[in-house]
Amino acid sequence: MMQLKTWALALTLGRVVEATILQNGQVRETNFPETKISDLSAYDFNTYDADAAEISYKGRWDSKKVSYWSAPGFVFGFSGDTVAITFGKDTVNGTLIGYRISGMDWIFTNVTVGGTHLLVTPETLGIGETYPVNPQRFEMRVSNWGYGVQIDKVHVRTGESLIKIPPYNRTIEFIGDSLSAGDFQSYEGLSSFAYGVGEGMGETEYYVTAFPGICVADQECWGNPRGQVHQWFYSSDTSWRATEIWGDNPEPWDFEKMETIPDIVVINLGTNDNNVANNVSAEAYVDAYKKLIQGVHGKYPKAQVVVMVVPLLSNLNPEP
Ligand SMILES: *[C@@H]1O[C@H](CO)[C@@H](O)[C@H](O)[C@H]1NC(C)=O
Ligand SMILES: *[C@@H]1O[C@H](CO)[C@@H](O)[C@H](O)[C@H]1NC(C)=O
Ligand SMILES: *[C@@H]1O[C@H](CO)[C@@H](O)[C@H](O)[C@H]1NC(C)=O
Ligand SMILES: *[C@@H]1O[C@H](CO)[C@@H](O)[C@H](O)[C@H]1NC(C)=O
């Protein structure tokens, strides 16, 4: 319950979320390696724009290539042994990202607004493993659910190139709140249960349209101005930064342009509607839940929708 209160407070305060996170009983390390480079001219780069056709965006990004919700990311193939990324002005300074090559372990680093970060180098573990077979697969995910990045440029070495990697043939989407977004988990998005299930399925695309504190009913809940029955239809989430970027006129999510259409949609909502602090009536809750499911069927007619019941729901003693 202490934790619930803490994030409710953090959401209300907006920007500053400071907490000690324990990981296997030890304080989580947050001194991630510095990847920012200051002198771009010292490198011989072949540079691509953020909207290059070779880059496959995963999860929700707006038309300015700003990321939202939990664990959004992108994938591309690259030749050579170097990848750097320049982050745009709508990046939240210090956002934690995870990235990896060819499905190996995630490497974490904080990225900076306007900074160019050198993520893959000849020293990156495993970079030579597939030699002489090209390309390697590069994947990046934004790991902080409340923060986000804007992609400006992608760089490889001169003479090298990006290569389009086709998506996997199966897709799962999670629609949820803190439990799916990875709130309180060590790396947030990349340690959420939604990520774990999506990744664990293997060769499956996964999208996590989840935000802590959100209700399904369309009303203010724990600082989220709208509920999922409304917000799921938009690119941006209910964060303060989405409001800074889009005001109260966010971009509708372009379902037509999705790289893959989910085969399975898992909805895990209701924890926040059930909290007396949010005062959602049973009628409003059921009505919103039904409308969201109808909306999902409308956008993805062939998808199976799985509605999760939070086992502890009836035991959650709601505090104000
Ligand atoms: C972003 O963070 C970096 C390192 O943490 C710092 O050097 C830089 O001044 C910050 N930039 C802005 C615009 O706050
Ligand atoms: C890097 O990210 C971690 C995890 O979100 C955070 O605790 C830490 O303060 C960040 N560091 C900087 C310099 O922003
Ligand atoms: C995905 O589907 C396409 C077309 O049916 C097929 O050619 C391809 O082998 C499949 N890929 C995987 C990884 O199963
Ligand atoms: C909760 O909602 C009901 C009706 O929607 C209203 O009468 C009541 O005053 C609300 N309670 C709080 C604490 O906001």
Side-chain angles (χ1 to χ4, degrees):
M1 280 307 108
M2 210 33 234
Q3 277 190 327
L4 264 184
K5 275 188 179 166
T6 313
W7 75 233
L9 183 67
L11 279 176
T12 315
L13 295 179
R15 279 159 206 253
V16 191
V17 184
E18 293 272 4
T20 302
I21 295 180
L22 295 181
Q23 183 177 311
N24 300 327
Q26 302 188 334
V27 174
R28 178 184 70 176
E29 270 186 47
T30 50
N31 56 333
F32 300 107
E34 175 69 73
T35 49
K36 187 177 174 181
I37 51 177
S38 42
D39 184 12
L40 257 74
S41 64
Y43 298 84
D44 230 356
F45 282 147
N46 178 21
T47 297
Y48 289 78
D49 282 330
D51 60 4
E54 293 84 354
I55 305 172
S56 301
Y57 287 86
K58 314 286 179 182
R60 294 201 182 178
W61 296 74
D62 69 19
S63 58
K64 303 178 190 181
K65 297 291 181 261
V66 179
S67 69
Y68 299 97
W69 303 97
S70 189
F74 56 79
V75 165
F76 53 73
F78 67 101
S79 65
D81 54 19
T82 302
V83 174
I85 294 174
T86 304
F87 293 90
K89 67 172 174 48
D90 287 331
T91 299
V92 178
N93 214 23
T95 297
L96 183 67
I97 62 156
Y99 65 97
R100 60 180 177 179
I101 52 170
S102 297
M104 285 179 276
D105 282 351
W106 293 103
I107 303 168
F108 290 90
T109 191
N110 298 84
V111 300
T112 55
V113 51
T116 297
H117 290 258
L118 186 59
L119 301 180
V120 178
T121 72
E123 281 76 49
T124 301
L125 216 56
I127 189 69
E129 288 302 307
T130 62
Y131 181 84
V133 178
N134 265 324
Q136 289 228 45
R137 181 183 203 268
F138 177 91
E139 177 176 10
M140 190 208 92
R141 298 273 171 174
V142 179
S143 210
N144 288 135
W145 52 260
Y147 296 166
V149 303
Q150 181 179 34
I151 304 304
D152 183 14
K153 306 277 184 214
V154 174
H155 318 266
V156 291
R157 246 186 224 296
T158 299
E160 306 295 352
S161 53
L162 297 188
I163 296 103
K164 179 90 182 172
I165 294 196
Y168 296 128
N169 286 350
R170 302 188 295 196
T171 301
I172 187 167
E173 176 168 345
F174 296 85
I175 305 176
D177 51 33
S178 59
L179 299 167
S180 308
D183 195 6
F184 311 129
Q185 307 299 316
S186 54
Y187 294 107
E188 301 187 359
L190 282 179
S191 21
S192 67
F193 109 86
Y195 161 74
V197 173
E199 173 72 13
M201 293 183 105
E203 302 200 342
T204 302
E205 300 295 339
Y206 50 88
Y207 311 141
V208 186
T209 319
F211 202 85
I214 202 165
C215 284
V216 62
D218 190 22
Q219 63 154 68
E220 197 276 335
C221 286
W222 299 120
N224 293 284
R226 307 295 299 251
Q228 282 285 29
V229 67
H230 172 85
Q231 202 65 36
W232 181 73
F233 295 91
Y234 291 85
S235 307
S236 50
D237 54 32
T238 44
S239 59
W240 51 269
R241 63 186 192 90
T243 311
E244 264 181 11
I245 295 169
W246 290 106
D248 54 12
N249 192 20
E251 277 184 332
W253 174 239
D254 196 343
F255 289 93
E256 308 288 314
K257 289 210 179 119
M258 286 174 74
E259 187 188 37
T260 61
I261 300 300
D263 305 290
I264 298 178
V265 176
V266 176
I267 309 181
N268 186 355
L269 285 166
T271 310
N272 301 300
D273 301 75
N274 188 52
N275 194 304
V276 288
N278 296 320
N279 197 23
V280 178
S281 70
E283 294 73 27
Y285 170 66
V286 170
D287 182 57
Y289 220 126
K290 280 188 184 160
K291 287 208 170 88
L292 176 62
I293 295 169
Q294 281 163 7
V296 172
H297 283 313
K299 296 299 181 185
Y300 315 143
K302 292 185 186 152
Q304 299 286 328
V305 176
V306 178
V307 175
M308 275 181 77
V309 176
V310 185
L312 288 175
L313 201 55
S314 57
N315 296 333
L316 262 186
N317 180 23
E319 291 187 26

